[in-house]
Amino acid sequence: ASFVGSRKSEAMQFPPGFSGCVMAFTDPQEIATEAPETLQLLQDDMVKGAFFGVAPRHAASWSPELLARLRAWMEQPKGFAVGGCGLDTSAPGALPLEDQMPCFVAQVRLAAELRCPLGVVVRGQEDVEDAAVALLAEGFPGDLPLILLNFDASEELPGRLKGFPENVWVGVSPKVGFAKLARRIGSVVFDTPLDHLWLSSDSPDTIPASLGGGRRSVSHPGGAHEV
C-alpha cells in the first residue's frame, strides 16, 4: 500500500502531531524505473526525504545500470541518503556473504562520493559484522552520518564503527517490542543518546503485541511514535 493510502486506511493510528517521515526505496524494480507510485510518494508533502538503495536480499540484481539509476534518484530534491543497503545473512535463503559484498561496497562508495548520509542494514553472525565494519572503515568517511537501519545486531557493533559516537545513529524499530530481541536491542537503545536514535516503523513488518500489534497487523510510518 502507498503511504497516501496508509494515512487514509490507518488514520486512527497516526498521532495528532505526526508531521512526516523519510521513505526507503530499496527494491531494484523501484530503482530501475520511474514508477508512478514512487513519484507519487515523493510528491507527498509528508514525505520529507527518501533513502534510495538496493537491499541485501536483492544484491544479485546489482549492475552498473542500477548504480546509474541510483545516482539519478539521488538528484531528486528529496534524495536524502543512500540507504537500505548492507549485509544480511539472517533470512532463510539469503545470498552468501561474499555475494552481497559488491552491491554493498558500490553503495558505500556512492554515498562517500556524494557526501551524503548512508543507511545500512547489518544482520547475521560475527563474520557479517566484521565484514561490515571493515568495508565501512575502508570506504565511508567517519565525518558523514551513518544510520544503522532497523538495528538488529550485537550490542558492540555501534562502538566498532569509525564515526562513533558523533556520526552514528541507531535505528529503533518495532523489533524492540519483541521479547526475544528486547534485551539486546533495548540495551543499545538505552546507551544511545536520544538525539542519535532514528525512529523507524520498519514498514510493512508485523507490529509486536507489546506495541499494540498482532499476527495480522501491519506496520506503517504513523506507527513510529509507538516505538
Side-chain angles (χ1 to χ4, degrees):
S2 69
F3 176 55
V4 178
S6 292
R7 278 199 292 145
K8 292 179 180 178
S9 64
E10 307 288 347
M12 295 297 293
Q13 296 185 41
F14 277 72
F18 183 83
S19 60
C21 65
V22 176
M23 302 289 289
F25 300 95
T26 62
D27 189 310
Q29 293 184 352
E30 294 176 326
I31 300 300
T33 62
E34 292 190 358
E37 295 84 357
T38 303
L39 295 174
Q40 179 185 9
L41 284 168
L42 291 173
Q43 292 168 3
D44 190 298
D45 290 339
M46 283 197 173
V47 174
K48 306 302 183 182
F51 289 94
F52 292 105
V54 176
R57 67 180 179 275
H58 299 305
S61 301
W62 184 252
S63 67
E65 290 75 22
L66 273 179
L67 176 59
R69 290 300 304 150
L70 273 182
R71 288 182 185 277
W73 280 115
M74 287 301 297
E75 292 176 359
Q76 288 270 346
K78 293 185 179 180
F80 163 72
V82 174
C85 57
L87 301 174
D88 182 359
T89 60
S90 65
L95 289 170
L97 177 59
E98 59 271 18
D99 293 343
Q100 298 183 29
M101 288 185 180
C103 178
F104 180 44
V105 169
Q107 293 177 86
V108 169
R109 291 175 177 170
L110 177 61
E113 176 189 332
L114 298 178
R115 297 288 300 171
C116 70
L118 176 66
V120 301
V121 173
V122 181
R123 298 191 188 103
Q125 300 300 318
E126 186 176 350
D127 60 333
V128 174
E129 295 193 12
D130 289 345
V133 169
L135 293 173
L136 288 166
E138 180 180 349
F140 193 67
D143 63 335
L144 292 177
L146 178 65
I147 305 166
L148 299 172
L149 295 173
N150 304 330
F151 184 81
D152 187 6
S154 73
E155 297 176 38
E156 295 76 25
L157 178 62
R160 298 178 63 193
L161 298 168
K162 185 166 57 176
F164 183 84
E166 292 84 359
N167 292 309
V168 174
W169 276 256
V170 174
V172 189
S173 77
K175 286 187 175 72
V176 75
F178 286 109
K180 65 180 181 180
L181 301 175
R183 178 172 302 221
R184 171 167 50 84
I185 297 178
S187 176
V188 175
V189 172
F190 182 83
D191 291 336
T192 302
L194 284 175
D195 60 358
H196 275 61
L197 291 176
W198 182 273
L199 294 185
S200 170
S201 67
D202 206 8
S203 176
D205 281 3
T206 300
I207 305 171
S210 62
L211 295 182
R215 182 163 296 185
R216 294 189 178 182
S217 63
V218 177
S219 182
H220 55 80
H225 77 289
E226 297 288 355
V227 177

